[in-house]
Amino acid sequence: MAELETDIRYIKGVGEAKAKALSKLGIHTLRELVSYFPRAYDDRSVFKRIDELIVGENACVAAVVASPPRLSRVRKGLDITRFRAVDETGSISITFFNQSYIKDSFKVGETYVFYGRVVGKIGQPEFTNPVFEKEGANQTTGRIMPVYHLTAGVSQNFIAKAVAQGLLECGDVLPDPLPPVVRSERKFAQARYAYNNIHFPKDFEALELSRRRFIFEELCVLSCAMALLKSRRVVKHGKALKKCDIDEFYASLPFELTGAQKRSIDEALGDMYKPVPMSRLVQGDVGSGKTVVAAACCFAAVRSGGQAAFMAPTEILAEQHFKTLTALLEPFGMRITLLTGGLKAKEKREAYAAIESGETDIIVGTHALISGGVVYKDLTLVVADEQHRFGVQQRAALGQKGDSPHILVMSATPIPRTLALIIYGEMDVSVIDELPPGRQPIDTYAVGEDMRARIYAFMRKQVEAGRQVYVVCPMVEENEEYDENLKSVKEYAEKLQNAVFPDLKIALLHGRMKPNEKEAVMTAFSAGEIDVLVATTVIEVGVDVPNASLMVVENADRFGLSQLHQLRGRIGRGEHKSYCVLFEGSGGSVSRERLKVMCETNDGFKISEADLRLRGPGDFFGKRQHGLPELKVANFATDMTVLKDAKDAADEVIMRDPSLSSPDNAGLRSYIDAMIEKSADILN
Ligand code: ADP
Ligand code: MG
């Protein structure tokens, strides 16, 4: 019996070269081999008689080879092996291309099972390159076959064989993190049964039973890991804020706060008045008014004699927050400093000095505020805006500056509550579930190319009415294709200027521009000096230009729904009726279905649910942005109820055995250790 950590080289039938290929799939050990689950299944369990075959369907046929296979060379590089096979109901023509050796695999008069897609004409069925084996072998036909993700140098057959061999060599010791009590309480399948049937299902019922176990297992391990991290969050001593008169701040606002805003502020202040560092997430849809909630917290921190750092994901947004906070808090004598990459060396030095000496109270910038060498006099509060851009790691880094400051994180990505409990497991959550009064829903239309001329006319009409327009182009921001992409966005903007709107002021905004160039463009757009702003997703977060009333999105199919929702949040910020036009691009019917969601609702929660359902969490959060390890079997969208159950189980396990030191929890413990090690960069 082999140890689970055995190198796959030593598994019978694998060897040096194949081991190397398998390592590309992340398979290095016996444990990883048996845990390499199929991505899909091929149902080869259905047998048909020849007269039942339907063209276009897949089926198995048991048939006798009726004529000797004949090899003919059609031309160089193309030869064909052909013969007929029969059962008591009819005859089928079998053809193999470029497999001249195959003719020796068949003996006339013997029965084989063929599996493949039926082609040919009604009454004259054919198989081309079918899977086949001797009747009764039941290795590759007559059953549900696993379909694995492949890489160069390994075939489906090879992986299936290696896995089967691996399962054999494991004996009784299979990877199994579920504590026995959790498993038996929920009547999940035994590990042996589950592993056998997730790879080589006896039937679909067995497959489902096994899948259910692994989904639960995966979500339970994840929940335990998050619960463990949370319990490890040593309750540090923090600084309790002196109580302030927040009504004074409320009274200075140009509007009445919504109930949800007030509740969120109360919750945050309640935290900060305690001598334990706050760790709170404020979740609210775009436009729900999160900034003023954060400003209230800054007000309290500064009134208590401390400093606040206000962190934004982009420089544009930092500038904007700087302006907003200055308007809101300078009247109270509070000093606000902007710290961005765009500052000159001298300005930067001065800013650093003011922060260190305590001459400034509120510092607004990007993540450099906590990662760089900024020294604070008395950092009391850290605010991180638009949290979906920060991973768990960065979140943790927030608390490491200064002397355990209070932390307030703001997110515009509405996610279902159970999921939030796991992802933000270590934080308390406030939800702003109410928009400021008077917001008009944005009318959204998904259109095809045939509407382009009319959309251009509509853009012109908006500009003539004094409004401004965003045109958003998809752009891959982080890879080699970037330059290609940038070129096409530039060309697009030029074309729009020269060929469509020669008389309008059009400008371009993208991520590669220098900070001061970006700022110049944004300032000009804010001031109404630009009619149409062609932009990449750099405008996705936070930018606030109330006069912009129309957004046109090119190739909208390339964006996730949640991202489109964020983008759309850039308009409808003023008193003007606003519109969003989504050009469908070439995405086909799935993308049309997705875009329809955008036209039907302005509710971020509904949109994110649809997004999760239609795309899965990987894309939903952006690559690894969610800070969670990849899930192999479970799906955050469809397995939501299991997620809840798994979380309950996890909480119970951790409550009974907080350090997971009992022997029953050893398996679970090792899984979690491995997960934390593997994702050290994102979990720690
Ligand atoms: P987000 O939650 O997307 O960050 P913002 O904080 O940028 O939203 O607020 C969006 C706009 O709504 C801003 O112009 C802000 O001044 C305004 N706003 C915020 N709260 C209210 C309110 N209670 N009543 C009216 N307008 C508000
Ligand atoms: Mg915001």
Side-chain angles (χ1 to χ4, degrees):
M1 218 156 65
E3 296 265 333
L4 288 174
E5 304 317 318
T6 305
D7 193 306
I8 42 164
R9 279 198 308 246
Y10 306 120
I11 306 299
K12 195 169 153 235
V14 177
E16 233 23 92
K18 293 287 183 194
K20 210 160 169 192
L22 287 174
S23 75
K24 292 207 194 79
L25 297 170
I27 307 173
H28 312 89
T29 62
L30 180 54
R31 171 194 297 278
E32 287 163 343
L33 178 64
V34 297
S35 307
Y36 191 71
F37 294 163
R39 68 168 170 82
Y41 297 87
D42 197 1
D43 183 6
R44 301 183 188 171
S45 62
V46 180
F47 272 86
K48 291 217 163 148
R49 296 181 324 199
I50 291 176
D51 69 352
E52 294 170 328
L53 292 175
I54 296 172
V55 172
E57 277 184 2
N58 289 4
C60 286
V61 171
V64 181
V65 173
S67 67
R70 240 205 334 271
L71 173 67
S72 48
R73 179 143 298 162
V74 178
R75 56 179 149 78
K76 199 161 177 274
L78 178 63
D79 53 52
I80 293 179
T81 308
R82 202 191 291 261
F83 58 91
R84 300 202 72 77
V86 296
D87 68 4
E88 65 274 22
T89 69
S91 125
I92 182 164
S93 155
I94 314 265
T95 307
F96 291 93
F97 288 105
N98 289 340
Q99 299 180 55
S100 47
Y101 52 86
I102 215 143
K103 73 179 181 25
D104 302 323
S105 310
F106 298 97
K107 276 212 189 88
V108 176
E110 294 208 353
T111 307
Y112 298 82
V113 177
F114 299 91
Y115 168 79
R117 195 180 149 82
V118 181
V119 292
K121 290 190 215 108
I122 295 174
Q124 296 176 23
E126 294 176 26
F127 273 142
T128 311
N129 295 336
V131 172
F132 66 92
E133 63 185 352
K134 272 250 178 77
E135 187 181 37
N138 280 339
Q139 287 299 307
T140 54
T141 66
R143 58 195 286 179
I144 303 167
M145 289 296 288
V147 180
Y148 298 96
H149 279 294
L150 296 180
T151 184
V154 293
S155 63
Q156 291 296 352
N157 246 332
F158 171 75
I159 295 194
K161 276 206 182 113
V163 169
Q165 180 63 26
L167 285 173
L168 203 67
E169 294 193 19
C170 279
D172 283 337
V173 201
L174 284 156
D176 184 6
L178 283 191
V181 40
V182 173
R183 190 186 68 73
S184 59
E185 263 173 13
R186 288 169 179 75
K187 304 196 169 52
F188 281 123
Q190 301 269 10
R192 170 47 72 184
Y193 178 91
Y195 275 96
N196 284 347
N197 282 290
I198 195 99
H199 288 290
F200 308 107
K202 188 161 59 81
D203 49 42
F204 280 100
E205 195 190 341
L207 173 60
E208 198 40 44
L209 282 176
S210 309
R211 255 180 51 80
R212 258 192 42 214
R213 180 203 153 102
F214 285 116
I215 289 170
F216 180 87
E217 177 183 310
E218 188 163 45
L219 294 173
C220 186
V221 170
L222 180 62
S223 304
C224 280
M226 296 312 272
L228 200 66
L229 286 176
K230 185 177 185 178
S231 71
R232 257 194 228 161
R233 192 177 82 184
V234 255
V235 183
K236 282 184 282 195
H237 189 75
K239 207 170 358 172
L241 256 56
K242 292 200 273 293
K243 293 229 160 94
C244 69
D245 180 9
I246 196 70
D247 287 334
E248 202 187 332
F249 173 72
Y250 290 172
S252 73
L253 293 173
F255 44 72
E256 179 79 14
L257 290 176
T258 63
Q261 282 172 314
K262 279 195 187 143
R263 184 165 21 84
S264 303
I265 294 172
D266 283 347
E267 285 167 355
L269 293 185
D271 289 350
M272 290 193 292
Y273 291 149
K274 292 192 197 120
V276 178
M278 164 170 76
S279 176
R280 180 166 293 278
L281 172 78
V282 174
Q283 228 189 42
D285 210 346
V286 234
S288 60
K290 295 183 288 293
T291 319
V292 64
V293 171
C297 294
C298 292
F299 174 88
V302 176
R303 270 293 158 93
S304 181
Q307 287 175 311
F310 198 117
M311 216 162 65
T314 66
E315 305 220 330
I316 294 181
L317 197 54
E319 311 253 353
Q320 189 144 350
H321 282 323
F322 172 70
K323 283 182 200 140
T324 308
L325 290 172
T326 303
L328 291 174
L329 299 173
E330 213 171 49
F332 294 100
M334 297 181 180
R335 295 154 300 181
I336 299 122
T337 299
L338 178 66
L339 187 66
T340 61
L343 294 186
K344 297 200 187 71
K346 180 161 168 287
E347 293 169 322
K348 228 181 240 169
R349 261 200 317 277
E350 284 169 6
Y352 280 134
I355 297 168
E356 191 163 357
S357 70
E359 263 165 70
T360 189
D361 303 307
I362 298 166
I363 304 93
V364 187
T366 58
H367 61 272
L369 285 189
I370 49 145
S371 58
V374 191
V375 181
Y376 295 86
K377 172 136 191 289
D378 183 11
L379 184 60
T380 301
L381 169 67
V382 176
V383 176
D385 190 17
E386 305 296 351
Q387 132 79 26
H388 63 290
R389 292 295 176 98
F390 298 111
V392 182
Q393 177 203 14
Q394 280 138 320
R395 231 149 63 205
L398 298 180
Q400 264 135 43
K401 266 282 176 197
D403 190 14
S404 309
H406 297 287
I407 293 170
L408 185 74
V409 172
M410 296 186 290
S411 169
T413 311
I415 51 173
R417 178 142 185 92
T418 324
L419 189 51
L421 279 178
I422 291 192
I423 298 183
Y424 305 118
E426 87 279 21
M427 313 190 91
D428 301 306
V429 181
S430 297
V431 181
I432 310 187
D433 49 7
E434 189 182 345
L435 291 182
R439 289 279 156 79
Q440 310 178 38
I442 297 158
D443 287 354
T444 303
Y445 306 91
V447 301
E449 268 313 300
D450 53 323
M451 289 287 284
R452 190 165 286 278
R454 281 177 66 181
I455 298 304
Y456 284 155
F458 186 57
M459 286 167 69
R460 180 176 290 283
K461 218 171 113 195
Q462 288 289 309
V463 172
E464 277 164 5
R467 303 285 82 76
Q468 289 163 283
V469 180
Y470 290 107
V471 179
V472 183
C473 299
M475 169 97 127
V476 191
E477 299 269 358
E478 279 154 40
N479 63 19
E480 322 80 62
E481 290 163 51
Y482 190 94
D483 290 326
E484 263 321 287
N485 252 293
L486 184 56
K487 199 171 132 239
S488 68
V489 175
K490 279 180 176 159
E491 280 169 7
Y492 172 90
E494 271 166 37
K495 221 174 94 193
L496 205 60
Q497 174 78 79
N498 299 331
V500 190
F501 301 119
D503 52 327
L504 301 189
K505 280 160 291 184
I506 294 180
L508 177 65
L509 187 72
H510 60 80
R512 282 272 173 100
M513 285 161 66
K514 294 208 184 72
N516 55 347
E517 294 171 349
K518 276 192 243 173
E519 199 205 331
V521 172
M522 264 334 284
T523 310
F525 190 65
S526 284
E529 290 156 17
I530 293 167
D531 300 315
V532 178
L533 183 63
V534 177
T536 61
T537 51
V538 293
I539 58 147
E540 176 187 352
V541 284
V543 180
D544 194 11
V545 179
N547 191 45
S549 62
L550 169 62
M551 173 173 284
V552 176
V553 183
E554 293 286 351
N555 295 307
D557 56 308
R558 307 237 193 115
F559 294 98
L561 292 186
S562 296
Q563 199 178 13
L564 285 173
H565 181 62
Q566 292 290 322
L567 286 166
R568 184 170 61 176
R570 299 310 109 219
I571 53 171
R573 306 197 135 234
E575 76 254 36
H576 312 291
K577 173 79 200 150
S578 296
Y579 308 88
C580 178
V581 175
L582 308 169
F583 274 108
E584 279 168 350
S586 50
S589 63
V590 177
S591 77
R592 183 159 303 188
E593 162 112 357
R594 282 178 46 220
L595 295 180
K596 225 170 76 193
V597 177
M598 295 299 298
C599 308
E600 284 162 2
T601 180
N602 277 274
D603 180 335
F605 277 93
K606 285 201 187 122
I607 288 170
S608 73
E609 260 175 40
D611 208 11
L612 263 172
R613 199 176 59 237
L614 294 166
R615 294 203 309 165
D619 288 333
F620 175 76
F621 290 106
K623 265 211 163 32
R624 301 194 75 172
Q625 257 175 12
H626 48 88
L628 288 179
E630 302 275 328
L631 295 181
K632 287 195 312 191
V633 260
N635 178 318
F636 279 129
T638 48
D639 300 322
M640 216 47 144
T641 45
V642 188
L643 184 59
K644 169 125 187 19
D645 189 20
K647 185 170 162 35
D648 291 347
D651 287 346
E652 217 166 285
V653 170
I654 299 281
M655 197 183 66
R656 283 199 214 127
D657 179 13
S659 58
L660 294 182
S661 48
S662 97
D664 273 358
N665 294 333
L668 179 58
R669 177 80 221 206
S670 70
Y671 261 61
I672 293 178
D673 288 347
M675 175 190 281
I676 291 180
E677 191 185 322
K678 211 159 148 193
S679 346
D681 54 326
I682 47 179
L683 285 174
N684 280 323

